[in-house]
Amino acid sequence: MYDVIVVGGGPAGLSAALVFGRQRRRVLVVDGGRVRNAPADEMHMYLSRDGFPPSELLALGRAELAAYPTVEVRAGSVVTARGAKEDFAVELADGTVERARRLVLATGQVDEPYRIEGLPERFGRGVFHCPFCHGWETTGKTLAVITREPAEAMLALYVADRFSDDVVLCTDGPLDLADGVAKKLGERGVRVVSTPIARLTGEPGALEVHFADGEVLAREAVYHRAPTRQHASLAAGLGCEILPDGTVRVDELQQTTVPGVAAAGDTAKLPAVPDAVTLVSLGAADGVRAAVWMEGDLFRSDLGEI
Ligand SMILES: Cc1cc2nc3c(=O)[nH]c(=O)nc-3n(C[C@H](O)[C@H](O)[C@H](O)COP(=O)(O)OP(=O)(O)OC[C@H]3O[C@@H](n4cnc5c(N)ncnc54)[C@H](O)[C@@H]3O)c2cc1C
C-alpha cells in the first residue's frame, strides 16, 4: 500500500511527488511519457528555465526525485482507478494493480490539430498554439492564424496587436464573423482568407499554406489553437465531477469532489476560471498545492481524534 499514487509524470505530477517524497511518504508515480509540450523544442515562461527543452526539465525533475528513497517513478499507463479514501486501487495496462491511500490525477490534456495535411506534424514546431508560450519568438514575423472557430478571430487580433503587423486569418472555409470583429480585423490590417486549406508545407520559420484554389501563402510562423481533450478518463470513472469543458473540477486546494482524490495541472480547473490556463509553471504549482494539502490530510488521518 502506497501513501499516494500520482498518475502522470509531467510538471504537475513530478512536483506533487517531490512534496510527498520530502515528507517521507511512499509515493508511486505512473507515467505514460507523453507530456503535452513534447513536440516543442523550447518551453517558455518558467522562471530560470526560459527557452529550456521540455524533455530536459522532466529529466532534471526525475533526477531530483531519485534522491528520495520513498519515491518510485514507473513507466506505464493507468487504465482504471477505483476505490475510496484510504483504499484506492489502480490497474496498469500491464495488468499490475497497485493500491494507495490517496490519488493525485495529473494526466494532462491532448491537442488534436485539424486534420489538414501537414498541420498535425508541425504542431509545436513552427505552428504554435499559444502567444504566451511562443509569441515573443514570432515578433515581427509574417503570421497566419488557422481556425474554423469565430471566437478564435480574437487570437488573430491579439497577435496583430502584440507581435506582427502582417497577420492573415485563414478560416479554411466560410466563417461567420460578427460585424464588430470583422471591422476590427480590417482596422488592424488582418486579412481574412476563407478559401479551404489543402495542406501546410515547409520548415519552422519558412512555412507555406497551400489553398484549394492553388494560391500559396508563405508564412514565417502559424498559430493554431488545436481542440483539446483529456488525456485520461480516470477522474470520471472515480465519480469526480467533470466541468462542461471536460476538465476535472477542483477546489482552491486542488481537491476533486471525491474525497482523497486531487487533480493538478492541465487536467484540473477551478469552476470560476473562465478558460483553462495551461502552463508548465501553473501545473507545477498545482502539483505542489495538491500535495501539501493532501499531506496534511494524511497526517490528520494518522493522528486520529484529538
Ligand atoms: C506545443 C505546446 C507547447 C507548449 N509550450 C509551453 C511553454 O512554452 N510554456 C508553458 O508554460 N507551457 C507550454 N505548454 C503547455 C504545457 O505543456 C502544459 O501546461 C504542461 O505540460 C501541463 O503539465 P501537466 O503535468 O498538467 O501535464 P503533461 O505535461 O501533459 O503531463 C501529463 C503526463 O501524464 C501522462 N498520462 C496521461 N494519462 C495517463 C495514464 N492514464 N496513465 C499514466 N500516465 C498518464 C502523460 O503521458 C504525460 O506524461 C505548451 C503546450 C503545447 C501543446
Side-chain angles (χ1 to χ4, degrees):
M1 176 73 91
Y2 290 93
D3 290 309
V4 185
I5 293 176
V6 178
V7 189
L14 293 183
S15 300
L18 182 60
V19 174
F20 290 123
R22 290 182 52 76
Q23 302 315 114
R24 304 170 63 235
R25 293 286 176 193
R26 282 199 71 208
V27 54
L28 171 66
V29 181
V30 184
D31 182 38
R34 180 66 189 173
V35 294
R36 193 171 164 207
N37 57 350
D41 293 332
E42 294 182 351
M43 102 193 157
H44 293 280
M45 277 197 316
Y46 194 101
L47 193 64
S48 85
R49 295 290 180 274
D50 193 41
F52 214 59
S55 57
E56 285 189 29
L57 181 81
L58 297 173
L60 276 180
R62 283 171 172 242
E64 286 174 0
L65 286 176
Y68 298 93
T70 58
V71 179
E72 182 187 343
V73 181
R74 195 185 299 175
S77 179
V78 173
V79 288
T80 59
R82 59 183 195 284
K85 192 170 175 177
E86 297 298 342
D87 189 8
F88 290 103
V90 303
E91 186 183 354
L92 278 66
D94 65 5
T96 317
V97 175
E98 301 290 359
R99 306 187 93 86
R101 300 173 62 195
R102 304 285 187 276
L103 293 180
V104 176
L105 305 176
T107 45
Q109 296 188 7
V110 175
D111 298 86
E112 298 190 315
Y114 295 168
R115 290 185 186 171
I116 294 170
E117 187 186 323
L119 178 57
E121 53 268 45
R122 287 173 177 78
F123 185 73
R125 297 193 64 246
V127 177
F128 302 118
H129 80 302
C130 166
F132 287 94
C133 298
H134 305 285
W136 173 266
E137 286 66 39
T138 65
T139 303
K141 302 223 165 124
T142 54
L143 305 179
V145 175
I146 296 179
T147 186
R148 300 172 188 143
E149 300 297 324
E152 288 293 291
M154 293 303 284
L155 177 59
L157 284 172
Y158 186 76
V159 295
D161 185 70
R162 296 288 77 221
F163 303 114
S164 170
D165 55 11
D166 186 349
V167 179
V168 179
L169 174 60
C170 304
T171 60
D172 193 31
L175 193 65
D176 198 9
L177 295 169
D179 289 347
V181 173
K183 184 164 171 276
K184 284 280 177 217
L185 289 166
E187 283 171 9
R188 299 297 170 108
V190 178
R191 190 156 64 91
V192 181
V193 178
S194 59
T195 315
I197 301 168
R199 64 189 177 282
L200 188 70
T201 60
E203 299 302 316
L207 296 165
E208 288 184 332
V209 185
H210 298 254
F211 295 98
D213 62 3
E215 284 290 311
V216 179
L217 176 69
R219 297 282 93 178
E220 290 171 289
V222 169
Y223 280 89
H224 173 56
R225 196 139 52 188
T228 56
R229 65 170 170 81
Q230 290 290 305
H231 208 144
S233 55
L234 303 171
L238 282 158
C240 303
E241 184 180 336
I242 306 296
L243 293 169
D245 66 0
T247 53
V248 182
R249 180 187 184 128
V250 290
D251 63 16
E252 290 79 358
L253 314 181
Q254 301 299 142
Q255 310 305 304
T256 71
T257 51
V258 171
V261 181
D266 286 6
T267 196
K269 190 159 84 64
L270 279 167
V273 176
D275 202 359
V277 185
T278 54
L279 296 171
V280 172
S281 54
L282 298 183
D286 279 2
V288 170
R289 191 164 30 239
V292 165
W293 292 104
M294 190 168 265
E295 171 58 30
D297 183 45
L298 281 163
F299 171 61
R300 279 189 300 276
S301 294
D302 292 340
L303 209 53
E305 290 280 313
I306 292 185

